[in-house]
Amino acid sequence: MKLLRVGPSGAERPAMLDAQGVLRDLSGVVRDIDGEAISPEGLKRLASLDPTSLPKVEGAPRIGPCVVRPMNFVCIGLNYADHAAETNAPIPKEPIIFMKSPSAFSGPYDEVRIPRGSKKTDWEVELGVVIGTKASYVPENRAMDHVAGYCVVNDVSEREFQLERGGTWDKGKGCDTFGPTGPWLVTKDEIPDPQNLKMWLEVDGKRMQDGSTKTMIFGVAKLVSYVSHFITLYPGDIISTGTPPGVGMGIKPEPVFLEPGQTIRLGIEGLGEQVQKVGQA
């Protein structure tokens, strides 16, 4: 299934994308694409529906983030061997964890706003893992039992704030609009191997990232288990699992960063595409 949320920011309603690409209104079935809806019981109920029996979503509404704002928006740094190489960083011995602020969470087509004072706003296409059941101290061989599905995430990053202003990475990762998520949550039954998905990102039509989840250092099961030993994960939480090479910071001989007026387009095989216009805060 492909589950999503449509409508104005803060007033989204749940929907489903049917096999013909038609949006179907789920607001008469579930209150939202939240922890209850994406629990094993909730997903089983939604899977039993005949999508053609649901009302069509009329018009062309805004598509919001594919789940309700999560309690935990967890990100993993330097998790692709080829990306670590392009940034001259050593391969991590354990996953690097940082958090995005709730205000970073935004829709897949919402504007990305460059923060005031920023000179190094960058892009990162990433596989998002959506948690379906509470996970705490989960062994790796049971980790996938806690996954509801997957989505596309753009881990927008301000590199000066992240790396040159002291402290942790969070200040360069949690700015408003820095976490476009969606367009839909694709349930895990549709993605049999999350470690073999093509992923890409373009800026103004120029291909910048062209990678695959197969070059992840730590795979999905490892990450869910590992994070759950430090942070209790709740239904609807997201783990953004790192990015392949091609970020602006890694371009030679000179890095390239985003500017107002540009367009970012990104996608992951089987999970859909995002498009963002770049604006100024």
Side-chain angles (χ1 to χ4, degrees):
M1 290 182 294
K2 294 180 174 66
L3 305 175
L4 66 156
R5 302 168 68 245
V6 298
S9 179
E12 295 93 345
R13 65 187 190 277
M16 174 188 292
L17 186 72
D18 72 17
Q20 287 69 47
V22 176
L23 294 180
R24 300 285 180 171
D25 193 335
L26 283 173
S27 56
V29 181
V30 294
R31 63 188 177 192
D32 211 334
I33 307 302
D34 56 11
E36 182 177 351
I38 64 174
S39 68
E41 297 78 15
L43 290 179
K44 184 177 180 180
R45 179 187 180 201
L46 292 175
S48 71
L49 298 174
D50 175 5
T52 62
S53 69
L54 300 169
K56 292 182 180 180
V57 175
E58 301 296 339
R62 167 186 175 268
I63 296 179
C66 56
V67 292
V68 173
R69 192 185 304 273
M71 180 177 295
N72 295 300
F73 195 168
V74 184
C75 298
I76 308 298
L78 293 173
N79 192 37
Y80 282 67
D82 37 7
H83 172 54
E86 78 169 340
T87 58
N88 298 314
I91 300 295
K93 292 183 173 60
E94 296 187 43
I96 296 170
I97 297 175
F98 61 92
M99 309 291 285
K100 277 194 180 287
S101 71
S103 62
F105 192 59
S106 60
Y109 307 111
D110 293 346
E111 183 182 64
V112 166
R113 297 193 299 274
I114 295 176
R116 296 176 189 179
S118 167
K119 298 177 182 177
K120 297 181 179 181
T121 296
D122 206 346
W123 55 83
E124 294 190 8
V125 58
E126 304 202 358
L127 173 67
V129 178
V130 183
I131 301 300
T133 59
K134 182 179 177 181
S136 180
Y137 299 104
V138 174
E140 189 171 341
N141 64 355
R142 298 297 303 274
M144 299 305 291
D145 295 344
H146 297 268
V147 174
Y150 306 96
C151 62
V152 182
V153 175
N154 187 357
D155 176 20
V156 187
S157 308
E158 211 300 340
R159 302 302 189 186
E160 181 186 9
F161 297 177
Q162 175 190 356
L163 301 172
E164 302 172 35
R165 298 284 295 272
T168 65
W169 286 12
D170 301 64
K171 68 178 72 172
K173 295 284 193 170
C175 303
D176 292 355
T177 76
F178 270 25
T181 302
W184 31 75
L185 181 160
V186 180
T187 50
K188 66 179 177 182
D189 58 291
E190 293 196 12
I191 307 294
D193 184 5
Q195 304 307 150
N196 190 25
L197 301 176
K198 295 178 182 177
M199 53 203 310
W200 55 272
L201 182 145
E202 297 175 351
V203 178
D204 287 344
K206 182 178 180 181
R207 185 64 59 100
M208 309 302 287
Q209 292 186 273
D210 202 351
S212 170
T213 57
K214 66 184 178 183
T215 67
M216 276 188 187
I217 299 166
F218 306 105
V220 170
K222 172 67 176 180
L223 292 174
V224 172
S225 172
Y226 185 87
V227 172
S228 79
H229 282 72
F230 301 93
I231 300 166
T232 297
L233 297 168
Y234 292 90
D237 282 357
I238 295 170
I239 301 176
S240 195
T241 57
T243 199
V247 299
M249 178 176 65
I251 293 175
K252 305 293 191 299
E254 292 292 332
V256 175
F257 297 108
L258 292 167
E259 298 179 2
Q262 291 186 309
T263 300
I264 313 167
R265 183 184 295 270
L266 60 149
I268 299 178
E269 181 181 1
L271 301 182
E273 299 182 5
Q274 300 183 356
V275 180
Q276 294 111 29
K277 282 287 189 182
V278 180
Q280 182 69 58

